Amino acid sequence: MRKAATAHELPDTGQVRAQAASRPTSRPDMMTRLRPYLYLTPAMICFILFFFYPIGSIIYLSFQDWSLINLEAMEWVGLQNYTELVADQEFQQVLTNTLVFTFATVGISLAISFLLALWLNKKAKMYGIIQATVFSPHIISFVSVSMLWMWLMDPQFGLLNAVLEAVGLPGYTWLTDPSSALLSLILVNVWKGVGYNTLIFIAGLQSIPGDIYEAAALDRSPWWRTLTRITIPMLSPTMFFLFIINMISSSHAFDTIAIMTQGGPINSSNMLVYYIYEQGMDYYNGGFAAAASVILLLIVGVLTALYFLFMSKRVHYR
Amino acid sequence: MKRVGAISLKTVEWAGLLVVALLFVFPFLWMASTAFKDMSEVRQFPPTLLPETWEWGNFVQAWESGPFLMFTVNSIVVAVAILILQFLTAVPAAYAFARYQFPGRNLLFGLVLVALMIPGYIIFLPIYVQLSGWGLVNTLWSLILPYAASAFGIFLLRQAFMQVPDEVIEAARLDNASEWKIMWTIMVPMAKPVLVTFGLFSFIYHWNDYFWPLIMTNSDEVRTLPVGISSLRMSDGGTLWNVMMAGNMILILPILVIFFVAQRHIIKAFVYQSK
């Protein structure tokens, strides 16, 4: 529109016409070329300020001796935070707890949700209701879920021990014993997350073309062969996606720990993010907190890289 | 004989389904039941299924144990402000990714995907340092600004915008509509289902969020409901489970109501992440 109008208004001389031909095309061109960047600017400013700069900053801070109380007094200490951290027994336990918690939560949750998905993947309305029920804890705040389970796991008046005693079993120690606290947290996190995984598995199952199953049925393939030769291989991308997503979210578990155990008893349920929080905000040991953050960043970074490698091999970008 | 076997198998399956449902529903029913009991009944053994006397006072006690009206207002302000900012930043960004070819597009979109994968839990310390340098720690801004752009929102909207047929946009361009106008008056309405989906996801996520307000705030004036509710567990002289559960109900009920009304949308919102 603008292009046409300016061309018409210009006097018809050869020189001006040449200018006109280049100017109107080059001016909107400039705008057209800049426009996508302009549209991206607000979001990118936010990502730089609250994502990319902080990532650089945490790496820098991990080489400093610093604390939140006095940010002026920073001192470059090289790798000292890392060497001290790795030698620190408390941190070793935190790292072990995080790994145990993450692998156990992910393994148990994926196994249960896979079986649930095979079972609940049916059209009848009943199954839809059960799916929604299993999913419901996922949208409830970790605060409520944690406090609810603290109450269920209360050693004296809690429902879980009441049930155990009713069937003649001894009460369990749940959150109050170093040998059971981490296990109890795993239980709560599995309970909260299993519904999400189930629904993703069901979505994956539904995307498997039905004629493959029809062919298998014609061949009189027994159910276990259908499962191992068709369902599981066809579902492996979903499994991989869920594995990565669950590993990442479990590796930064915080809310259940902060509310239910505060990392105790005797550090038995402490994990990386809670450790970072304690070191940084309570003990004002910024160097340790930053170095631990970078270690967690590396773990999540490797998982993310694995995921993208896998996706880029599989997905055709439109 | 065969028929009887089929019927009893069906019965077993239904019994199994009931057990599965109860495993996930019963804890919530137990929460509700406890919220109405008085403390002596809470400590009763064996426990009662339903309260003998309905103690509405637990809710009053929970609500009055702190400035809960303020917490609620803060929660709503924060979640809504984040939603608006994310909408305003995601629409142009998603439009750029979906509709323009430009140098660096794949790189920039890759950065968005990285931001999608890496959680704020890892980088809260430098963000805290930065916000405290700007004097924003312990204000509502510290809860809102870090979430002003959502990688997930950009990702979802980009897909929705890519599905709008080219003819629609060409027709609008022939009508001399500016790009800016096309984006807001043609693309956004066409992406409405995705916007609802994303809006629900974002609101629920930030309504529930405990970690960020715990880190960034230390006074009641700017704290949100999850932090307020969580402090109910630190009462003097024995844990008041009934008051705690009553407080939990206050936090959960709005989400459950939304879940019943928009169940399909919500499930889509959370499951969408996989696509």
Side-chain angles (χ1 to χ4, degrees), chain A:
Chain A
M1 156 74 187
R2 184 185 290 161
K3 198 199 274 183
T6 34
H8 274 291
E9 280 156 21
L10 287 166
D12 193 13
T13 67
Q15 199 192 359
V16 177
R17 199 194 291 157
Q19 259 185 5
S22 69
R23 240 177 66 207
T25 44
S26 74
R27 268 190 69 210
D29 228 10
M30 188 67 180
M31 189 55 213
T32 315
R33 265 188 289 155
L34 276 180
R35 186 173 282 125
Y37 300 106
L38 286 177
Y39 285 180
L40 285 171
T41 302
M44 285 301 162
I45 288 176
C46 295
F47 287 138
I48 290 166
L49 282 179
F50 298 111
F51 189 76
F52 293 107
Y53 174 76
I55 285 182
S57 175
I58 195 75
I59 294 169
Y60 174 78
L61 287 171
S62 74
F63 298 116
Q64 307 282 331
D65 187 16
W66 65 285
S67 88
L68 280 178
I69 319 177
N70 188 1
L71 284 169
E72 309 296 304
M74 258 188 212
E75 193 193 337
W76 178 269
V77 291
L79 288 171
Q80 194 188 317
N81 289 324
Y82 291 96
T83 51
E84 280 180 20
L85 196 63
V86 171
D88 185 79
Q89 278 201 339
E90 191 192 354
F91 179 75
Q92 287 168 6
Q93 198 189 354
V94 166
L95 200 58
T96 314
N97 288 343
T98 310
L99 292 176
V100 169
F101 172 88
T102 304
F103 277 102
T105 307
V106 175
I108 297 170
S109 179
L110 289 188
I112 294 178
S113 52
F114 177 63
L115 295 176
L116 274 177
L118 289 178
W119 184 14
L120 300 179
N121 180 29
K122 288 173 190 143
K123 284 277 179 297
K125 201 174 180 194
M126 182 68 193
Y127 296 96
I129 296 171
I130 307 282
Q131 284 173 25
T133 310
V134 174
F135 175 75
S136 60
H138 188 73
I139 55 162
I140 301 298
S141 173
F142 257 118
V143 171
S144 299
V145 168
S146 304
M147 283 163 71
L148 170 60
W149 280 89
M150 277 171 83
W151 166 221
L152 294 171
M153 289 170 166
D154 185 74
Q156 255 187 304
F157 309 111
L159 183 68
L160 293 185
N161 277 357
V163 170
L164 286 179
E165 277 174 48
V167 296
L169 291 169
Y172 194 57
T173 46
W174 305 113
L175 300 164
T176 50
D177 193 294
S179 66
S180 59
L182 192 63
L183 204 65
S184 305
L185 292 185
I186 292 170
L187 172 69
V188 175
N189 281 272
V190 167
W191 182 80
K192 191 177 190 293
V194 83
Y196 169 77
N197 294 335
T198 305
L199 288 187
I200 304 274
F201 268 135
I202 288 177
L205 286 173
Q206 285 171 355
S207 70
I208 302 176
D211 44 3
I212 302 183
Y213 285 112
E214 280 162 29
L218 280 178
D219 286 348
R220 294 171 188 273
S221 159
W223 66 267
W224 49 268
R225 196 189 289 158
T226 311
L227 181 71
T228 51
R229 299 276 173 83
I230 299 177
T231 308
I232 291 178
M234 294 291 278
L235 214 55
S236 59
T238 309
M239 282 180 186
F240 184 74
F241 166 81
L242 282 178
F243 175 75
I244 299 286
I245 293 290
N246 278 269
M247 287 293 285
I248 291 178
S249 64
S250 298
S251 68
H252 66 258
F254 175 86
D255 298 9
T256 33
I257 306 166
I259 292 166
M260 299 179 80
T261 67
Q262 290 87 49
I266 22 175
N267 212 33
S268 62
S269 64
N270 202 354
M271 283 180 249
L272 274 174
V273 176
Y274 194 74
Y275 179 82
I276 297 166
Y277 164 77
E278 272 189 321
Q279 293 294 325
M281 313 289 289
D282 288 346
Y283 307 144
Y284 297 109
N285 188 349
F288 264 33
S293 301
V294 173
I295 290 171
L296 183 56
L297 184 66
L298 284 175
I299 297 174
V300 175
V302 168
L303 289 167
T304 306
L306 275 177
Y307 180 67
F308 284 143
L309 267 177
F310 178 82
M311 290 300 280
S312 65
K313 283 208 179 120
R314 214 176 64 80
V315 176
H316 323 278
Y317 279 105
R318 274 177 289 180

Side-chain angles (χ1 to χ4, degrees), chain B residues 198-217:
Chain B
F198 173 67
L200 284 167
F201 176 85
S202 171
F203 185 86
I204 293 174
Y205 182 89
H206 292 289
W207 174 269
N208 285 344
D209 189 22
Y210 170 70
F211 179 71
W212 207 256
L214 181 75
I215 301 288
M216 293 297 160
T217 63

Side-chain angles (χ1 to χ4, degrees), chain B residues 180-198:
Chain B
W180 187 251
K181 202 177 157 198
I182 290 174
M183 180 164 76
W184 292 104
T185 62
I186 295 173
M187 300 300 264
V188 167
M190 291 190 83
K192 211 168 159 191
V194 169
L195 285 172
V196 172
T197 296
F198 173 67

